[in-house]
Amino acid sequence: MVKQSTRWVLLCAATLLLTAVSASAQVFEPSELVVSAGVFNVLNDERDNEVGVELRLGTFELPLGRHRIPLGVQFGAMATEESAYYIYGSFRYDWWLSQRWRLTPFLGGGIYSAGDGKDLGGPVEFRSGLELSVGLTERSRLGLSFYHLSNGVLYDSNPGAESLVVVFSRRLGG
């Protein structure tokens, strides 16, 4: 069970972050639609196939003192063949290694349901990971993403799971 103090900390952090984002958001990149397929729980013997879809909103500048950090917001869902699903929102930082190659760390949270799949300890799960992608055309990218799901010790059990997925993204708009 989630402690009351933990709930308040999470609620306050989310409120502050959303306030900062909405007060200073200045979008300067188009959005992307992403589809993914790969392996859930890839580092364990009880692996499962997964598919996902994600909407990546354009990046905005988050003011941090005198600095402005370009962050992106993304919302998505994934499902496994064992009927587990995860619906999430997260922040990302696009680090351009060259004109074609991009390394993208991301961090967020969401709601997980085990279905007939792996029990991760509770419904609130955090997602952190890294994606490496290459531009195929001016509007599309292909990449590989590795991420970890964990409840951050919000519950008594915190087994966690890792996924390795191939991602294809298509830029929306002009």
Side-chain angles (χ1 to χ4, degrees), residues 92-129:
R92 72 179 189 283
Y93 177 78
D94 293 329
W95 182 15
W96 291 92
L97 303 174
S98 71
Q99 286 187 338
R100 292 185 60 211
W101 289 92
R102 180 173 75 189
L103 186 63
T104 305
F106 52 86
L107 176 64
I111 303 298
Y112 175 80
S113 175
D116 295 327
K118 185 171 184 175
D119 181 2
L120 294 181
V124 176
E125 299 291 329
F126 301 99
R127 180 177 182 259
S128 58

Side-chain angles (χ1 to χ4, degrees), residues 24-167:
S24 64
Q26 182 181 10
V27 175
F28 58 87
E29 281 187 9
S31 301
E32 293 177 328
L33 182 63
V34 181
V35 292
S36 63
V39 181
F40 176 73
N41 206 29
V42 69
L43 299 181
N44 293 304
D45 293 335
E46 297 178 16
R47 296 179 185 97
D48 201 359
N49 293 322
E50 86 169 59
V51 294
V53 64
E54 185 174 274
L55 177 62
R56 295 180 179 170
L57 302 179
T59 58
F60 63 91
E61 292 182 342
L62 178 67
L64 230 52
R66 289 190 223 170
H67 304 284
R68 294 194 170 278
I69 310 294
L71 291 179
V73 177
Q74 54 200 33
F75 300 96
M78 75 78 152
T80 72
E81 64 183 337
E82 292 294 327
S83 302
Y85 67 86
Y86 182 61
I87 299 170
Y88 61 89
S90 57
F91 294 97
R92 72 179 189 283
Y93 177 78
D94 293 329
W95 182 15
W96 291 92
L97 303 174
S98 71
Q99 286 187 338
R100 292 185 60 211
W101 289 92
R102 180 173 75 189
L103 186 63
T104 305
F106 52 86
L107 176 64
I111 303 298
Y112 175 80
S113 175
D116 295 327
K118 185 171 184 175
D119 181 2
L120 294 181
V124 176
E125 299 291 329
F126 301 99
R127 180 177 182 259
S128 58
L130 194 61
E131 175 182 309
L132 179 64
S133 65
V134 63
L136 300 175
T137 68
E138 189 176 303
R139 299 177 62 89
S140 63
R141 305 187 68 73
L142 182 66
L144 191 63
S145 181
F146 179 80
Y147 69 87
H148 174 73
L149 286 181
S150 169
N151 64 50
V153 197
L154 290 176
Y155 309 103
D156 292 334
S157 174
N158 184 26
E162 290 75 24
S163 288
L164 182 63
V165 295
V166 173
V167 295

